Amino acid sequence: MALQALQSSGVAFRKILSHFPEELSLAFAYGSGVYRQVGPSSDQKNAMLDFVFTVDDPIAWHSKNLNKNWNHYSFLKVLGPKFITAVQNNYGAGVYYNPLITCDGRLIKYGVISTSILIEDLLNWNNLYIAGRLQKPVKIIAMNENVALRSALDNNLKSAVTTAFLMLPESFSEEDLFTEIAGLSYSGDFRMVIGEDKTKVLNIVKPNIAHFRELYDSTLQENPQVVYKAQQGRLEIDKSPEGQFTQLMTLPKTLQQQINHIMDPPGKNRDVEETLLQVAHDPDCGEVVRQGLAAIVRPSSMKQSTKGIFTAGMKKTVIYSSLKLHKMWKGWLRKTS
């Protein structure tokens, strides 16, 4: 993975990180507060900063964080770190968010996820939640020497490229590719109907083409299935059934299983490879892949949002939801004016 593209020496981010327990396998910042976006999220100076903290031992980490930052948590804090970790690991997308926290004069939101659960999501796309965040440019603030995690991060980028290829024509631009990649984790997300600006994906990609290019350059250069004309910003791929079958066979396991479920008629019980061979010959191959993505993202996004009511508390949930709706309203006004 192009780790150089993700590294950040931002003192402001490291100062915020100093307010939390140090035992992190990975910490990164993402979103409109980190990378400039167009549209209703363009006010980068006042945007909420979004963080994800990956920890090997969530119970120990939450125990220390409760001692340091008791007021960050909702009413669940009275039930202790074991209960918080159980909620984190077993519901939604395996991440526990504390939103609307004031830290060093900035409004922040931070999510906590187990290292092992993140690695599973990066490799298999069990819910494509934090894995989806890491398919877009982020600022890495801390990272240890976990070889399995680094390998999984690299595989996630390769899977994102392969999936996007299946939904694109034979020839396309870098912007086309990065728009497909940025949209993978929004496929079927109910928040794109209620609460998120409809042009969110384009608003992420357009001002950050250079960051996407840096993140995916080595992955594209090493991919034997693409002709990458970096100077012209164009790419060409093999759209033959054989080429598509090769791509389908390398998709993350959960996406393959969802495609199999969509395409397997009742009573047939075909194995995944047989189904993928059929899909490779289907003119609507890309649409089938998109449906498979939606089948992963839709339930995980709904469950994670429902979980947020409990992890954030009702008051913060109402405030946070109103901010999202205000952003969507601004986007709508911008398009109609």
Side-chain angles (χ1 to χ4, degrees):
M1 179 176 64
L3 285 176
Q4 296 84 356
L6 300 175
Q7 298 295 342
S8 169
S9 58
V11 173
F13 294 135
R14 295 205 305 277
K15 282 186 70 178
I16 289 172
L17 204 61
S18 70
H19 292 271
F20 298 93
E22 294 181 353
E23 295 82 1
L24 302 171
S25 58
L26 173 67
F28 66 90
Y30 66 95
S32 58
V34 181
Y35 288 101
R36 187 173 69 86
Q37 295 182 17
V38 295
S41 300
S42 58
D43 184 9
Q44 192 172 13
K45 184 179 178 182
N46 297 312
M48 183 163 60
L49 290 172
D50 297 298
F51 295 89
V52 168
F53 302 149
T54 304
V55 301
D56 292 342
D57 186 343
I59 295 175
W61 194 91
H62 282 297
S63 180
K64 291 181 180 180
N65 198 43
L66 283 164
N67 288 332
K68 295 187 73 168
N69 300 301
W70 176 262
N71 64 324
H72 289 188
Y73 291 82
S74 71
F75 66 94
L76 295 181
K77 61 192 172 190
V78 299
L79 299 172
K82 287 185 179 180
F83 187 86
I84 288 171
T85 298
V87 172
Q88 173 184 309
N89 289 345
N90 300 325
Y91 299 94
V95 59
Y96 188 106
Y97 271 105
N98 283 326
L100 300 175
I101 306 297
T102 301
C103 190
D104 275 350
R106 289 296 299 267
L107 195 63
I108 74 166
K109 175 182 76 177
Y110 65 93
V112 184
I113 187 170
S114 159
T115 306
S116 60
I117 288 177
L118 176 58
I119 289 173
E120 279 291 308
D121 194 30
L122 291 166
L123 294 175
N124 298 320
W125 289 7
N126 295 340
N127 50 63
L128 201 53
Y129 201 84
I130 301 303
R133 300 280 186 269
L134 287 159
Q135 291 163 358
K136 296 174 272 288
V138 301
K139 293 285 189 185
I140 298 289
I141 312 163
M143 190 174 194
N144 67 14
E145 295 301 318
N146 186 321
V147 175
L149 177 57
R150 287 174 179 261
S151 176
L153 288 163
D154 188 42
N155 277 334
N156 184 45
L157 297 184
K158 291 176 181 176
S159 295
V161 166
T162 301
T163 305
F165 284 172
L166 287 160
M167 298 187 291
L168 286 162
E170 189 172 13
S171 176
F172 49 90
S173 68
E174 283 181 325
E175 184 176 318
D176 293 333
L177 173 63
F178 300 146
T179 300
E180 284 290 353
I181 288 172
L184 295 177
S185 60
Y186 294 116
S187 300
D189 190 336
F190 80 100
R191 293 171 302 171
M192 298 302 285
V193 179
I194 300 173
E196 291 284 10
D197 177 34
K198 303 299 189 300
T199 57
K200 183 179 179 73
V201 175
L202 279 176
N203 293 344
I204 291 170
V205 173
K206 281 187 175 293
N208 294 299
I209 292 289
H211 295 300
F212 274 94
R213 185 182 296 128
E214 195 173 3
L215 178 60
Y216 282 98
D217 181 69
S218 61
T219 301
L220 291 170
Q221 296 287 0
E222 295 165 9
N223 192 310
Q225 295 181 304
V226 63
V227 178
Y228 181 28
K229 302 175 182 177
Q231 294 294 100
Q232 293 92 352
R234 301 290 303 178
L235 302 95
E236 295 174 4
I237 53 173
D238 179 8
K239 295 299 289 185
S240 69
E242 293 77 15
Q244 293 195 141
F245 180 63
T246 299
Q247 292 163 3
L248 287 162
M249 287 296 291
T250 62
L251 292 179
K253 182 178 68 176
T254 305
L255 181 52
Q256 290 182 339
Q257 290 170 343
Q258 291 294 349
I259 291 171
N260 187 49
H261 181 72
I262 290 165
M263 297 298 292
D264 191 20
K268 281 274 188 177
N269 295 321
R270 295 181 303 187
D271 62 32
V272 173
E273 185 172 344
E274 186 181 350
T275 299
L276 296 182
L277 184 59
Q278 176 197 343
V279 173
H281 287 80
D282 192 327
D284 294 324
C285 173
E287 182 55 33
V288 174
V289 172
R290 202 177 300 278
Q291 290 176 31
L293 286 166
I296 296 171
V297 173
R298 187 181 297 110
S300 70
S301 66
M302 292 187 72
K303 290 174 184 175
Q304 184 64 36
S305 294
T306 303
K307 172 179 168 179
I309 297 170
F310 298 95
T311 59
M314 186 56 71
K315 183 180 177 181
K316 283 186 179 180
T317 299
V318 170
I319 296 170
Y320 186 71
S321 299
S322 66
L323 290 172
K324 286 287 188 182
L325 289 169
H326 178 65
K327 190 186 292 186
M328 182 182 71
W329 178 249
K330 282 173 64 178
W332 183 82
L333 287 177
R334 192 183 295 264
K335 285 187 288 185
T336 55
S337 60

